[in-house]
Amino acid sequence: MSLQQIHWLYNYLWVAPHLLLIPVAAVMFRRGLHKKFPIFFSYLLFEFSQFAFLFFLHDIKISPASYTNIDLFFRIGSIALRFGILQEALEASLGQNMPLRRAMARVMNWATFFLVAVASIFIVSLYYSILNHRTFVAYVIVQALNTAQCGLLALVFAWHRFLGLRMSPMVFGILFGMGLAIGAEPLIMALKDTFGIPGSTITDLAQFAAFHIAAVSWLYFAQVREKVSWATETSALPDLRQWAADMGRIAQL
């Protein structure tokens, strides 16, 4: 592959997935899914807005130091929204059972604190030698938070599996895409450090490709799969009531 082709692929994988976020948000709004998943809907708009702003800064050739600081600011915003999305997905199967929602929110908070602490210790031990630079410290913290979110994502799947809950198509689509978006960076950075992959172009392409697949999956599950879910929602109502009753008994243990 020539350098020109690599450059074209790089630009495509950076631009295309972010542009796909607008159709995803539009489909969610048209189907009323933005009311069921408001944090995820906000995340879509935030990701597109940050892409547009960073693209503008890149186009006007802002100084690297300023670009890095703004990029870190947006990364922290994305991480905060992703924590909310994971809790939103965890509570999606609880319906309007507010006591159980509050109980699960407390469990999620404790799990988040524990995983962030463990991930921070692990990541800091790997990158201790570069922590004398303020920018490196910020990116190490971001990577630790991303690693903790991977653990929380696994926890949401384990929660549904342990209780035998049927995950709705949209929740599965959100989590599948979030797994790609969240898990790509720590995994790729670990592979780079382990095998010594040269340069950042390969890792950037891999991350952009993962986010591209995530955006396509969100569009698919919002538009195609959720249509089937709406058609079968009435027939699934007894199951939903049984799940709510079972979870209520578990919360009282």
Side-chain angles (χ1 to χ4, degrees), residues 37-212:
F37 306 100
I39 302 178
F40 178 67
F41 185 75
S42 299
Y43 172 77
L44 296 175
L45 300 180
F46 180 84
E47 285 293 312
F48 176 79
S49 299
Q50 75 154 325
F51 157 74
F53 190 65
L54 290 175
F55 186 87
F56 169 75
L57 295 180
H58 181 269
D59 191 54
I60 64 175
K61 295 180 171 45
I62 192 174
S63 68
S66 298
Y67 186 92
T68 298
N69 290 332
I70 296 172
D71 177 62
L72 282 171
F73 172 79
F74 280 123
R75 284 175 182 260
I76 294 299
S78 295
I79 288 172
L81 285 171
R82 289 201 295 260
F83 275 118
I85 291 170
L86 292 174
Q87 183 163 337
E88 190 173 65
L90 184 67
E91 296 178 355
S93 59
L94 305 181
Q96 300 301 317
N97 192 325
M98 296 310 297
L100 191 53
R101 277 178 173 266
R102 287 192 290 269
M104 286 311 304
R106 289 194 294 270
V107 172
M108 191 72 164
N109 291 336
W110 280 108
T112 299
F113 176 80
F114 173 76
L115 289 172
V116 168
V118 172
S120 299
I121 294 172
F122 176 72
I123 296 298
V124 168
S125 66
L126 291 178
Y127 297 98
Y128 180 78
S129 60
I130 66 172
L131 293 183
N132 58 337
H133 194 286
R134 183 174 61 87
T135 301
F136 287 154
V137 171
Y139 277 104
V140 166
I141 293 173
V142 167
Q143 189 169 348
L145 293 174
N146 283 334
T147 304
Q149 288 182 341
C150 291
L152 289 175
L153 182 67
L155 178 64
V156 176
F157 277 107
W159 157 261
H160 285 81
R161 179 66 177 175
F162 177 73
L163 295 179
L165 299 176
R166 186 184 307 164
M167 189 177 292
S168 73
M170 188 61 191
V171 171
F172 178 81
I174 291 174
L175 294 179
F176 175 77
M178 292 302 298
L180 292 172
I182 295 173
E185 184 171 351
L187 177 60
I188 291 170
M189 291 302 296
L191 291 174
K192 181 179 178 181
D193 294 337
T194 301
F195 299 106
I197 300 174
S200 61
T201 301
I202 296 177
T203 56
D204 287 344
L205 286 174
Q207 287 179 246
F208 294 157
F211 193 74
H212 193 292

